[in-house]
Amino acid sequence: MKQIDRLRAHGLFEARVPRYTSYPTAPVFAPEIGSMEQTEALSALDPGDPVSVYLHIPFCERLCWFCACRTQGTKTLSPVESYIATLEQELALLKRILPAGLRMGRMHWGGGTPTILPPELIHRLAQAVKAVIPPTGDWEFSVEIDPTMVDRHKIAALAAEGMNRASLGIQDFDSKVQNAIGRLQPFDVTRHCVEDLRAAGIQSLNADLVYGLPHQDITRLDDTVSKVLDLAPDRIALFGYAHVPWMSKRQRLIDEKSLPKEVERFHLAEYAATRFRDAGYRSIGIDHFSKPDDGLARAMETGRLRRNFQGYVDDSCSTLIGLGASSVSRLPTGYIQNASATPAYVQRIEAGELAGARGHMMSHADLLRARAIEMIMCDFQLDFAELSREFGALAEALRPETALVIDRFDGMVQVRHDGFEILPEGRALTRIIANCFDAYAPMNGRYSQAS
């Protein structure tokens, strides 16, 4: 209880802060930044530097109640086929803009449910992307997979197009929890999906779990963790459920009284993390785990771990091109997000312009703070020697915030010769500590719980 009291005193169970998958965070993006800035930044890319590509498929056959992603339900393929045609138009616009010779080092399909696509649309879309941005010889192609919405034919099509990493949405295997979040997914269905993926040669598997869901307790979570360990994924993401019904109306279907309280959430996360570590997984950042020989563990060991909208990654590409409705591009000049609503996105593309609708141009001060926050989130430390190598004298601008953190989180951080390190007992506070370096987002804004 003493540790809980210390964490409570530092605001863990009350604070609402960003997850810092970007800096500045998306609520800071402004409508004054759009397709013109998007076009200029894309045309100025260095063709010698490979890029990452994120492609958003916003369609689901079922809308899970816990989800806060930009998605829409459909029972037919007609809107999906129309959307693929719009993506092809977006790619045609990009082809006119991007410098010749640009290559793709990574591609990720997210959603929604990318595996809503039948094999013919999988081939059509993948080939359209590769025709505009050919892949490098060692590229990674990952896809978010709903095990209830995939079969061997779809897996074979994805494998034929180069998919070499699959990310399985699991959340929780307990039937009571699944009923409470509107996502029925028997373990046997997921196990068969894993077997089919491995039979197709897809050996790199991720599993996405969520803690803090309705009716979740240690016993139910323990059973889910045991089943996940039986599947032996290479990476595990353990996300805290973000109850934000003001953003996602479908979350109003979830009974708030059934949600674990703040301290219960903390114990759920700690219990699962301990089980994963005991099973031989390495802790990666605040909420990921990987096998010791996985690229994520190697990136952490060598200081190459990075954070983006997919969470923790070992992606070395400095540019991310987002395709589709609501996708965010991370460009050398800043962030630009496509129109979020699918009709608005389609309207812009059909008008012959890129779909950038809002964004943020990065100043030198922004770049410094972004790197500092990423360092805290990935490495649990702030190293002024490293910041000075990257930013010169500008790094000194963060001295006041650093002194504040060292004073405010005494006992949770340790002073280094030129910076600080978050101690293991303080790592639950990482997002709150990172928030101290955020020049835009106020503490206790409308974000997810820090715990």
Side-chain angles (χ1 to χ4, degrees), residues 169-200:
I170 292 175
Q171 327 322 329
D172 190 294
F173 281 125
D174 184 83
S175 59
K176 186 171 184 178
V177 175
Q178 289 184 355
N179 275 291
I181 62 174
R183 183 186 177 94
L184 300 181
Q185 182 178 319
F187 173 67
D188 284 347
V189 170
T190 307
R191 179 170 52 81
H192 290 314
C193 173
V194 168
E195 291 169 353
D196 289 344
L197 286 164
R198 288 187 170 140

Side-chain angles (χ1 to χ4, degrees), residues 168-174 185 187 190-191 194 198 205-210 220-238 272 275-276 279 281 289 291:
L168 303 177
I170 292 175
Q171 327 322 329
D172 190 294
F173 281 125
D174 184 83
Q185 182 178 319
F187 173 67
T190 307
R191 179 170 52 81
V194 168
R198 288 187 170 140
L205 302 179
N206 302 357
D208 293 342
L209 305 181
V210 178
R220 291 190 170 99
L221 185 60
D222 179 70
D223 183 64
T224 289
V225 168
S226 295
K227 288 182 168 71
V228 170
L229 291 174
D230 285 343
L231 299 175
D234 298 86
R235 301 178 185 177
I236 300 165
L238 180 67
R275 284 216 56 194
F276 292 137
Y281 285 81
F289 305 86
K291 290 183 176 179

Side-chain angles (χ1 to χ4, degrees), residues 191-314:
R191 179 170 52 81
H192 290 314
C193 173
V194 168
E195 291 169 353
D196 289 344
L197 286 164
R198 288 187 170 140
I202 314 302
Q203 297 302 316
S204 296
L205 302 179
N206 302 357
D208 293 342
L209 305 181
V210 178
Y211 70 89
L213 293 172
H215 305 298
Q216 233 177 18
D217 57 23
I218 294 294
T219 301
R220 291 190 170 99
L221 185 60
D222 179 70
D223 183 64
T224 289
V225 168
S226 295
K227 288 182 168 71
V228 170
L229 291 174
D230 285 343
L231 299 175
D234 298 86
R235 301 178 185 177
I236 300 165
L238 180 67
F239 299 117
Y241 168 60
H243 191 63
V244 287
W246 56 87
M247 288 176 52
S248 178
K249 292 182 180 179
R250 75 190 76 161
Q251 288 189 351
R252 297 174 187 171
L253 297 169
I254 291 177
D255 179 8
E256 292 188 2
K257 295 177 182 178
S258 67
L259 295 173
K261 303 302 182 187
E262 287 79 3
V263 175
E264 293 176 277
R265 279 172 59 96
F266 174 76
H267 286 310
L268 288 168
E270 289 290 291
Y271 180 81
T274 298
R275 284 216 56 194
F276 292 137
R277 286 192 293 265
D278 288 347
Y281 285 81
R282 299 286 305 276
S283 289
I284 309 294
I286 62 172
D287 53 15
H288 282 48
F289 305 86
S290 79
K291 290 183 176 179
D293 59 348
D294 183 79
L296 213 54
R298 293 194 297 271
M300 182 186 68
E301 292 165 358
T302 57
R304 296 181 295 103
L305 188 65
R306 294 293 180 262
R307 191 154 171 83
N308 68 16
F309 298 103
Q310 281 86 59
Y312 290 101
V313 297
D314 55 352

